[in-house]
Amino acid sequence: MRRFVADLSRKLTPERRKNLVTCVLQHRTCSLFSSFQSQSSVVIPIRFLNTASVDPSMASDYSGSPVTLDTINIKVLNCEYAVRGEIVTLAQKLEQELKENPGSRSFDEILYCNIGNPQSLGQQPITFFREVLALCDHPTILDRAETQGLFSADSIERAFQILDQIPGRATGAYSHSQGIKGLRDTIASGIEARDGYPADPNDIFLTDGASPAVHMMMQLLIRSEKDGILCPIPQYPLYSASITLHGGTLVPYYLDEATGWGLEISELKNQLEAAKSKGISIRALVVINPGNPTGQVLSESNQKEIVEFCKKEKLVLLADEVYQENIYVPDKQFHSFKKVSRTMGYGEKDISLVSFQSVSKGYHGECGKRGGYMEVTGFSPDIREQIYKVASVNLCSNISGQILASLVMSPPKVGDESYESYFAEKDAILSSLAKRAKTLEAALNSLEGVTCNRAEGAMYLFPRIELPKKAIEAAKSANKAPDAFYAARLLDATGIVVVPGSGFRQVPGTWHFRCTILPQEDRIPAIVTRLTEFHKGFMDEFRD
Amino acid sequence: MRRFVADLSRKLTPERRKNLVTCVLQHRTCSLFSSFQSQSSVVIPIRFLNTASVDPSMASDYSGSPVTLDTINIKVLNCEYAVRGEIVTLAQKLEQELKENPGSRSFDEILYCNIGNPQSLGQQPITFFREVLALCDHPTILDRAETQGLFSADSIERAFQILDQIPGRATGAYSHSQGIKGLRDTIASGIEARDGYPADPNDIFLTDGASPAVHMMMQLLIRSEKDGILCPIPQYPLYSASITLHGGTLVPYYLDEATGWGLEISELKNQLEAAKSKGISIRALVVINPGNPTGQVLSESNQKEIVEFCKKEKLVLLADEVYQENIYVPDKQFHSFKKVSRTMGYGEKDISLVSFQSVSKGYHGECGKRGGYMEVTGFSPDIREQIYKVASVNLCSNISGQILASLVMSPPKVGDESYESYFAEKDAILSSLAKRAKTLEAALNSLEGVTCNRAEGAMYLFPRIELPKKAIEAAKSANKAPDAFYAARLLDATGIVVVPGSGFRQVPGTWHFRCTILPQEDRIPAIVTRLTEFHKGFMDEFRD
């Protein structure tokens, strides 16, 4: 353990060092992790990506600075976010090296499989969506003859409709803090069409992607480290980061890898009781469906149990449903938690539920647009006012993202001029993703010591690797978690960037990595070859 | 006092009620406000805007809800944000009334002078900026012949340049957490051209407007209520809201209204010492230049004193410079704090300085695009890593906003095809704003009991009103701060929305309101007439 915190610890005063250790210990107690896992929550900040211009050796010159590691908010210090952590720094360095010395490696590019960022890997945007966005950005061309030649008729019509929904047609004005009312109407209709149950535009809070929405709810719920949020393990590190930044406690519940990352209510109950016995009051349950990084899609009956559990235990259900369009297997279907709870007969006042949606995922993958919304149901008007107030402090989310969120929830329909091309683009992306998921899953499962559940949905595979003891020893010597060691070696040998499982947390003593299914289809065979060759070599090198 | 907190207090458990009172008392102690001012920090949440669909009378039906006012984060409860507070709720109701019963009032529209949102009041976007944005949104039209007819040649060229700076030309991909490197290069060059001193693209963090950047710095700096941030009074309520949300203490320094909202170093020193003697450790000084809501532009010599003060007291200088383009008087000029400190011979390691910039202000006023950046200088690599990490948790800011921030810092130049029209648009907006500021200032100064400093910059006037005792009594009976009472009456009589001075804080016993200078020029005479008539009537009604 000392080895792992040594780097950071050396930079801190004795008192701060004590605090840091206390945090590690508290964390271990609360989250029931092995010391290995706990340490990683402290380690990652140390080796987090350096901004490019500054040389760490110059740190001492800032000795007169008003802000040091000893005097910043310790919640910031303790926060980690592995998806953009050390492995990305290594990748960026390697990319620079390849630029300066082409041919210096056996590969000629870096393949970023660390993050669900489809367009960075060549996925093209949906034409209709971009047409509408461009027209809303520059509405003066709407009446020009040339525009008819450049844009589809229904994109022009849709842009007019949207502009009519914006007071003064001002796409450059701050909107209502929850987002433009007309766009919220459209989104609510989209939710109704999806679920078959009413949706209220006043329940919609448009946000710059799902992340700020999650932060907003954590900010509302967390009062101190005595407030716990039940999170799946493995989890998307936004949740651990946000809980840490807001000073709460992540209470883990483990997904069962053996049953395809199954979510057992008994596990929820056990963890809830264990936390309670330590004086932690559980405020909310996070469910990610389809799962990230685990890719499972919950069954409706399982969802019903979860709703029942939240109702009984008086928990807010925080439903991360950003991958709702990303389903790849015929035997699974997405059901929103709102639909499921309404099906059970629970209405607005029976269950507190927040559903997060994003334009970054789905078949569109418009990550750079930073659009999304949360649908907030089952909160009293008093609490709604408070959520509205927090939203107001940031004025509003970006209007292009708002427009895109409305388009995603209301794409072209049969009969619209764009419908066929829209559908063809969407279908090509989704069916290709399904193929890529299958190919990569099969390739991973063929590797020695690797088992990989299928990606029923989302954008990731999360294979488990049985690492030889020698590899684990080598990782320790290199001051890395074993899966981080594996990922670094994989990157160095192949240019493929994956995120070590320790960044998502995992059952102690197990090792994984997360790999997106996003590289374009024609690149998959080469990836499989490179990965397979690397893995063989790695195992040969470290076999016990 | 009881009357003011009664509404909220009634909804809380005895213990929570005690916490709330403790907060009020602490706040009073720390910020040296009169009880009236302190109360307003508690009052506003109660009467904050209701989301439209929920009927407050239904609150009791949510008695089984896991989240109540008694169990949410009290920092959220204590936070206030007046710019979108009660007055906007009243305005929205009135707007609805006018829609349903046209002609029911002596005015036929609501004039939102409460917020710096130029395009909501008819200001048109800068054509060149929108052309580039539209082309980057839908790059497939760049090669089409029709595009030449619709867009200027230099906007097409600029779009190509920008796309070349984006890896894979993917405007729909997450970028580097600090923003696209090429755009940061452009912004750094723009800063260099402005200041005459080098700027480093790696010091730039692109953000969704200035607000998230301010939050990020507050999150980094504030550890507990023992950490103080020196803020001007009056201040833009983002600062008080953010400090409250992050659990710190706002330590006020008063601007001197008598000397055109002068910033006296002696006042800074006194407040710093007073706070220190109460065990508050001051971490940073916020300076808003040009001032919001006060409109003053600091002199270079004053800025030098401020830099010296921060250096001596080891404070981070948080420079809100979002109105840097909005200067309306020939005898004043904007100087960035970075330029001023470099002029003084202070380099990177001598002063910790964060400069906030936004695309929402200036002559462009692109509020809805949510673009902005902070330039972070004088922090050690260790701390820079932490800022980067926090930025990473939200992945990146929206790409359209990033592009716009680069355009704002690098607009068309002499010789470019768009230059003339760009310059004409910009000049028309800025010179009209200067005219409007002058007309409104003169009108306000002609009113009985009203004095108004000139708006040297920014977008606001902040007149002081000497309210008759009878009006103050009437306000108390109506459970409102006196300036909130005045603003509500003004709205009711004229449809003009202004923000009560109490939302920005002010010297105890003085009353103000903030009014933007943003209504289009042809509306100003009518506003002056309506305001003048109302004020006369108000004074006649309440004259002592």
Side-chain angles (χ1 to χ4, degrees):
Chain A
M1 177 169 169
R2 278 207 184 108
R3 192 159 44 186
F4 278 82
V5 294
D7 272 13
L8 182 53
S9 190
R10 221 175 299 129
K11 295 183 178 177
L12 302 175
T13 60
E15 201 190 346
R16 194 73 164 184
R17 212 175 291 148
K18 200 177 109 202
N19 280 340
L20 198 67
V21 173
T22 312
C23 286
V24 173
L25 293 176
Q26 278 180 344
H27 190 218
R28 187 195 290 163
T29 318
C30 302
S31 60
L32 314 175
F33 284 149
S34 78
S35 61
F36 228 133
Q37 304 297 109
S38 292
Q39 290 154 20
S40 81
S41 80
V42 177
V43 173
I44 289 176
I46 323 172
R47 32 191 176 86
F48 211 88
L49 181 59
N50 267 316
T51 45
S53 68
V54 276
D55 175 359
S57 66
M58 290 154 60
S60 58
D61 300 356
Y62 287 86
S63 50
S65 170
V67 192
T68 66
L69 287 182
D70 281 319
T71 61
I72 67 165
N73 179 358
I74 199 158
K75 294 172 199 160
V76 168
L77 203 61
N78 283 335
C79 160
E80 63 180 86
Y81 190 68
V83 175
R84 294 200 159 193
E86 184 197 20
I87 195 79
V88 181
T89 321
L90 292 174
Q92 287 172 341
K93 277 187 189 159
L94 206 50
E95 196 165 24
Q96 195 58 30
E97 184 193 315
L98 285 172
K99 210 182 263 179
E100 287 160 10
N101 295 306
S104 61
R105 297 274 176 159
S106 62
F107 49 91
D108 55 9
E109 59 165 358
I110 302 298
L111 266 168
Y112 286 96
C113 301
N114 58 305
I115 191 163
N117 194 9
Q119 296 191 29
S120 74
L121 293 173
Q123 183 176 307
Q124 291 306 302
I126 300 293
T127 306
F128 177 80
F129 293 172
R130 291 305 191 97
E131 285 182 333
V132 177
L133 286 184
L135 291 168
C136 290
D137 265 346
H138 192 38
T140 54
I141 64 171
L142 273 165
D143 294 317
R144 297 278 295 275
E146 298 97 321
T147 304
Q148 312 281 338
L150 280 179
F151 294 84
S152 62
D154 54 341
S155 71
I156 295 174
E157 196 190 321
R158 184 69 77 96
F160 272 119
Q161 275 172 20
I162 288 171
L163 290 168
D164 285 343
Q165 290 169 334
I166 301 178
R169 294 188 159 199
T171 53
Y174 294 127
S175 72
H176 185 284
S177 304
Q178 289 184 234
I180 292 160
K181 175 61 168 50
L183 300 179
R184 286 187 279 128
D185 291 340
T186 307
I187 290 169
S189 303
I191 295 171
E192 284 181 4
R194 180 193 70 195
D195 291 346
Y197 288 93
D200 186 335
N202 294 303
D203 292 345
I204 308 294
F205 288 74
L206 282 151
T207 52
D208 293 312
S211 305
V214 169
H215 283 307
M216 221 186 284
M217 290 312 301
M218 294 300 175
Q219 186 160 48
L220 187 88
L221 291 170
I222 295 174
R223 296 160 296 184
S224 75
E225 71 285 355
K226 292 287 180 194
D227 278 338
I229 309 289
L230 268 166
C231 289
I233 299 298
Q235 52 101 36
Y236 174 49
L238 164 66
Y239 293 97
S240 48
S242 186
I243 292 167
T244 304
L245 284 175
H246 290 102
T249 294
L250 185 152
V251 177
Y253 64 91
Y254 289 87
L255 301 174
D256 183 10
E257 187 164 11
T259 59
W261 300 113
L263 194 168
E264 293 294 331
I265 301 298
S266 57
E267 166 72 2
L268 290 180
K269 278 183 191 151
N270 290 342
Q271 298 292 1
L272 181 107
E273 291 310 324
K276 270 189 188 167
S277 73
K278 289 184 193 100
I280 306 281
S281 139
I282 307 288
R283 314 271 352 237
L285 169 69
V286 172
V287 180
I288 311 175
N289 180 44
N292 176 7
T294 42
Q296 83 284 17
V297 177
L298 297 177
S299 71
E300 204 176 346
S301 60
N302 199 185
Q303 288 183 272
K304 283 182 180 168
E305 293 176 313
I306 294 165
V307 169
E308 208 59 65
F309 175 77
C310 287
K311 179 151 177 64
K312 185 170 164 243
E313 302 293 347
K314 291 187 83 173
L315 306 183
V316 177
L317 177 48
L318 300 173
D320 182 332
E321 300 182 324
V322 302
Y323 295 100
Q324 57 189 264
E325 300 269 8
N326 299 91
I327 310 282
Y328 308 122
V329 291
D331 56 326
K332 287 291 179 83
Q333 230 186 315
F334 170 77
H335 303 281
S336 79
F337 270 104
K338 173 138 166 272
K339 175 187 162 185
V340 169
S341 49
R342 296 293 176 267
T343 314
M344 295 166 77
Y346 292 138
E348 159 71 17
K349 284 165 200 164
D350 299 314
I351 175 98
S352 300
L353 169 63
V354 184
S355 164
F356 302 100
Q357 167 68 315
S358 168
V359 305
S360 304
K361 310 304 170 188
Y363 54 90
H364 27 85
E366 291 279 16
C367 304
K369 295 296 174 189
R370 311 308 290 121
Y373 69 80
M374 55 178 181
E375 186 188 11
V376 176
T377 53
F379 291 85
S380 71
D382 284 340
I383 299 300
R384 289 280 292 272
E385 279 183 41
Q386 299 296 321
I387 302 174
Y388 177 87
K389 182 178 64 178
V390 173
S392 292
V393 176
N394 280 326
L395 301 161
C396 68
S397 62
N398 83 86
I399 305 297
S400 297
Q402 291 190 26
I403 292 171
L404 196 47
S406 82
L407 295 173
V408 160
M409 296 306 284
S410 170
K413 288 177 185 52
V414 180
D416 294 347
E417 184 188 311
S418 290
Y419 180 75
E420 276 186 37
S421 63
Y422 155 76
F423 185 82
E425 289 173 0
K426 170 182 171 174
D427 187 57
I429 291 167
L430 287 176
S431 53
S432 171
L433 284 173
K435 260 191 267 176
R436 294 179 232 174
K438 223 166 174 177
T439 310
L440 284 170
E441 178 209 317
L444 287 163
N445 274 316
S446 76
L447 301 180
E448 177 188 354
V450 174
T451 50
C452 183
N453 282 323
R454 63 177 186 165
E456 299 173 340
M459 295 179 171
Y460 317 99
L461 289 160
F462 197 66
R464 177 172 174 178
I465 354 169
E466 291 287 345
L467 289 170
K469 269 185 204 147
K470 274 188 199 162
I472 293 172
E473 283 308 311
K476 280 192 183 166
S477 309
N479 207 16
K480 282 185 196 302
D483 46 13
F485 178 73
Y486 180 90
R489 293 284 296 255
L490 172 66
L491 169 64
D492 193 66
T494 65
I496 300 169
V497 193
V498 299
V499 187
S502 42
F504 304 91
R505 306 194 182 175
Q506 51 200 347
V507 170
T510 69
W511 309 108
H512 298 78
F513 62 84
R514 188 184 81 165
C515 178
T516 72
I517 57 168
L518 297 174
Q520 291 298 292
E521 222 173 308
D522 56 359
R523 320 298 283 277
I524 301 288
I527 292 175
V528 168
T529 310
R530 278 147 76 173
L531 181 63
T532 306
E533 273 172 18
F534 160 76
H535 187 79
K536 273 187 192 148
F538 184 92
M539 295 304 273
D540 288 346
E541 184 178 346
F542 293 105
R543 191 169 286 110
D544 296 321
Chain B
M1 175 169 172
R2 277 205 186 108
R3 191 160 44 184
F4 278 83
V5 296
D7 272 14
L8 181 54
S9 191
R10 220 175 298 128
K11 296 182 179 179
L12 303 175
T13 61
E15 200 190 345
R16 193 72 163 184
R17 212 174 294 148
K18 201 177 107 202
N19 281 341
L20 198 67
V21 173
T22 311
C23 285
V24 173
L25 293 177
Q26 278 179 345
H27 190 219
R28 188 194 291 165
T29 317
C30 302
S31 62
L32 315 175
F33 284 148
S34 78
S35 60
F36 228 133
Q37 303 296 110
S38 293
Q39 290 152 20
S40 80
S41 81
V42 177
V43 172
I44 289 176
I46 324 171
R47 30 188 178 88
F48 212 87
L49 182 59
N50 267 316
T51 45
S53 68
V54 277
D55 174 0
S57 67
M58 289 154 61
S60 58
D61 300 357
Y62 288 87
S63 50
S65 170
V67 192
T68 66
L69 287 183
D70 280 319
T71 61
I72 68 166
N73 179 358
I74 199 159
K75 294 173 200 161
V76 168
L77 203 61
N78 283 336
C79 159
E80 63 180 84
Y81 190 67
V83 175
R84 294 202 160 193
E86 184 197 20
I87 196 80
V88 180
T89 320
L90 293 174
Q92 288 172 342
K93 278 187 189 158
L94 206 49
E95 195 166 25
Q96 196 57 31
E97 184 193 315
L98 284 174
K99 211 182 262 179
E100 286 160 10
N101 296 305
S104 61
R105 296 275 176 157
S106 63
F107 50 91
D108 55 8
E109 59 167 357
I110 303 297
L111 267 168
Y112 287 96
C113 302
N114 57 306
I115 191 165
N117 194 8
Q119 296 191 29
S120 75
L121 293 173
Q123 182 177 308
Q124 291 306 301
I126 300 293
T127 306
F128 177 80
F129 293 171
R130 292 305 192 98
E131 286 182 330
V132 177
L133 285 183
L135 292 168
C136 290
D137 267 346
H138 193 39
T140 54
I141 62 171
L142 273 166
D143 294 319
R144 296 278 295 277
E146 298 98 322
T147 303
Q148 313 282 339
L150 280 179
F151 294 85
S152 62
D154 53 341
S155 73
I156 296 174
E157 198 190 321
R158 184 69 77 96
F160 272 120
Q161 274 171 19
I162 288 172
L163 290 168
D164 285 342
Q165 290 169 332
I166 302 178
R169 292 190 162 198
T171 53
Y174 294 127
S175 72
H176 185 284
S177 304
Q178 289 183 234
I180 292 160
K181 174 61 168 51
L183 300 178
R184 285 187 280 129
D185 290 340
T186 307
I187 290 169
S189 302
I191 294 172
E192 285 181 3
R194 180 194 70 194
D195 292 345
Y197 288 93
D200 185 337
N202 294 302
D203 292 345
I204 309 294
F205 287 74
L206 281 150
T207 52
D208 292 312
S211 305
V214 169
H215 283 307
M216 221 186 282
M217 290 312 302
M218 294 300 175
Q219 186 160 49
L220 187 87
L221 291 171
I222 295 174
R223 296 160 295 183
S224 75
E225 71 285 355
K226 291 286 180 195
D227 278 338
I229 309 289
L230 269 166
C231 289
I233 299 298
Q235 54 101 35
Y236 174 48
L238 164 66
Y239 293 98
S240 48
S242 186
I243 293 166
T244 305
L245 285 174
H246 291 101
T249 294
L250 185 153
V251 177
Y253 63 92
Y254 288 88
L255 301 174
D256 183 11
E257 187 164 12
T259 59
W261 300 112
L263 195 167
E264 293 294 329
I265 301 298
S266 57
E267 167 71 3
L268 291 179
K269 278 184 192 153
N270 290 342
Q271 297 292 1
L272 181 107
E273 291 309 323
K276 270 189 189 169
S277 73
K278 289 184 191 99
I280 307 282
S281 136
I282 306 288
R283 314 266 358 234
L285 168 70
V286 171
V287 179
I288 311 175
N289 180 45
N292 175 7
T294 41
Q296 82 285 18
V297 177
L298 296 178
S299 70
E300 204 176 345
S301 60
N302 199 186
Q303 288 182 272
K304 283 183 181 169
E305 292 176 313
I306 294 165
V307 169
E308 208 59 65
F309 175 77
C310 286
K311 179 149 179 64
K312 184 170 164 244
E313 302 293 345
K314 290 186 85 174
L315 306 183
V316 177
L317 177 48
L318 300 173
D320 182 333
E321 300 182 326
V322 303
Y323 295 100
Q324 57 188 264
E325 300 269 9
N326 298 92
I327 310 282
Y328 307 121
V329 290
D331 55 326
K332 286 291 178 87
Q333 227 186 318
F334 170 76
H335 303 281
S336 79
F337 270 103
K338 174 139 164 273
K339 175 187 160 185
V340 169
S341 50
R342 296 293 176 268
T343 313
M344 294 166 76
Y346 292 138
E348 159 72 17
K349 285 165 199 162
D350 298 313
I351 176 100
S352 300
L353 168 63
V354 183
S355 164
F356 302 100
Q357 166 68 314
S358 168
V359 305
S360 304
K361 310 304 171 186
Y363 54 91
H364 28 83
E366 290 278 16
C367 303
K369 295 295 173 189
R370 312 306 291 121
Y373 69 80
M374 56 178 181
E375 186 189 11
V376 176
T377 52
F379 291 85
S380 72
D382 285 341
I383 299 301
R384 290 278 293 270
E385 279 183 40
Q386 299 296 321
I387 301 174
Y388 178 85
K389 183 178 64 181
V390 173
S392 292
V393 176
N394 280 326
L395 300 162
C396 67
S397 61
N398 84 87
I399 306 296
S400 297
Q402 291 189 26
I403 292 171
L404 196 46
S406 82
L407 295 173
V408 160
M409 296 306 285
S410 169
K413 288 177 185 52
V414 181
D416 293 348
E417 184 188 311
S418 290
Y419 180 74
E420 277 187 35
S421 63
Y422 154 77
F423 185 81
E425 289 173 0
K426 170 182 170 175
D427 187 56
I429 291 167
L430 287 175
S431 53
S432 171
L433 284 173
K435 259 191 267 177
R436 294 179 232 173
K438 222 166 173 177
T439 309
L440 284 170
E441 179 210 315
L444 286 163
N445 274 316
S446 75
L447 301 180
E448 177 188 353
V450 175
T451 50
C452 184
N453 281 323
R454 64 178 186 164
E456 299 172 340
M459 295 179 171
Y460 316 100
L461 290 159
F462 197 65
R464 177 172 174 177
I465 353 168
E466 290 287 346
L467 289 170
K469 270 185 204 148
K470 272 187 200 161
I472 293 172
E473 283 308 313
K476 281 191 183 167
S477 310
N479 208 15
K480 283 185 196 302
D483 47 13
F485 178 73
Y486 179 90
R489 292 286 295 258
L490 172 67
L491 168 63
D492 194 67
T494 65
I496 300 169
V497 193
V498 298
V499 186
S502 42
F504 304 90
R505 306 194 183 174
Q506 51 201 346
V507 170
T510 69
W511 309 110
H512 298 78
F513 62 84
R514 188 185 81 166
C515 178
T516 72
I517 56 169
L518 296 174
Q520 291 297 294
E521 220 173 307
D522 56 358
R523 320 298 283 277
I524 302 289
I527 291 175
V528 169
T529 309
R530 277 146 77 174
L531 182 63
T532 306
E533 274 172 17
F534 160 76
H535 188 78
K536 274 186 191 149
F538 184 91
M539 295 303 273
D540 286 347
E541 184 178 346
F542 293 105
R543 190 169 286 110
D544 295 319

